[in-house]
Amino acid sequence: MQILKFDKKIDLLSIDNGKPRFKLIGKLDADACLQLKNRFNFLNISEVILSVIIKKIFSDSWELTGNLQARITQSCVVTCKPVKEILDIELEERYVLQNKSVALINEINVSASNIEVLETSMLEIGELIAQIIGVESESFPKIKNTPETLFFGNEDTKVNPFAKLAVIKK
């Protein structure tokens, strides 16, 4: 397993029909984990392991399949105590290189989910990992069995729909 830096890039044009697939298995280094920690305001992130296969599926289009794992610690939105989360995400992404042959892009249906139109042939691995973790990690981490009233205020507030928000603002 190789050590991955945040700025690792793969030139997708180097993956051709002659080479049926490109395999990448690696673990993010400490600096890359620190970048993700700061970017998403995590308390900690570690054991970020990416295992993917990239293959060319059409002219200027590629499919990435595999898995991303990570251990994340965030602050509970209610108590500010640490909340641990383990991500284990199956990946299936498609990439299409935007070029002169726009007709080819339209055949692939770029509005479908998991399809990204690329401006260059360089796939940025660190950014790929960051986007997946940003979407898949818990948006509002909360310790189990924490009462909602600790966060939203008194449940008996029936003045109007925005009364709970006013309590939070105070």
Side-chain angles (χ1 to χ4, degrees), residues 17-32:
N17 292 335
K19 276 194 206 173
R21 60 186 186 158
F22 173 84
K23 189 171 187 175
L24 175 66
I25 300 173
K27 180 178 177 180
L28 276 188
D29 68 359
D31 288 338

Side-chain angles (χ1 to χ4, degrees), residues 75-83 140-152 155:
S75 290
C76 173
V77 294
V78 178
T79 65
C80 295
K81 292 181 181 176
V83 177
F140 297 99
K142 190 178 91 160
I143 294 176
K144 290 180 183 175
N145 301 323
T146 303
E148 295 289 332
T149 55
L150 289 177
F151 183 64
F152 292 108
E155 290 296 320

Side-chain angles (χ1 to χ4, degrees), residues 98-107:
Q98 184 175 3
N99 57 22
K100 296 175 187 172
S101 55
V102 177
L104 293 175
I105 293 174
N106 291 334
E107 287 178 25

Side-chain angles (χ1 to χ4, degrees), residues 81-155:
K81 292 181 181 176
V83 177
K84 294 184 179 190
E85 175 181 14
I86 297 175
L87 296 180
D88 190 3
I89 305 156
E90 291 298 317
L91 305 175
E92 186 176 335
E93 305 285 333
R94 290 206 172 127
Y95 299 95
V96 178
L97 183 61
Q98 184 175 3
N99 57 22
K100 296 175 187 172
S101 55
V102 177
L104 293 175
I105 293 174
N106 291 334
E107 287 178 25
I108 296 174
N109 186 10
V110 293
S111 63
S113 63
N114 301 331
I115 295 181
E116 184 173 341
V117 178
L118 301 173
E119 293 180 10
T120 71
S121 65
M122 301 305 287
L123 180 61
E124 298 178 14
I125 298 301
E127 193 56 36
L128 166 73
I129 292 171
Q131 288 177 12
I132 293 166
I133 288 175
V135 169
E136 296 290 336
S137 62
E138 183 63 48
S139 301
F140 297 99
K142 190 178 91 160
I143 294 176
K144 290 180 183 175
N145 301 323
T146 303
E148 295 289 332
T149 55
L150 289 177
F151 183 64
F152 292 108
N154 188 347
E155 290 296 320

Side-chain angles (χ1 to χ4, degrees), residues 12 15 20-22 52-58 60-66 91-96 114 123:
L12 292 174
I15 304 169
R21 60 186 186 158
F22 173 84
V52 296
I53 294 175
I54 304 172
K55 63 182 179 181
K56 188 170 187 174
I57 56 173
F58 197 67
D60 292 337
S61 46
W62 298 265
E63 180 180 62
L64 177 146
T65 56
L91 305 175
E92 186 176 335
E93 305 285 333
R94 290 206 172 127
Y95 299 95
V96 178
N114 301 331
L123 180 61

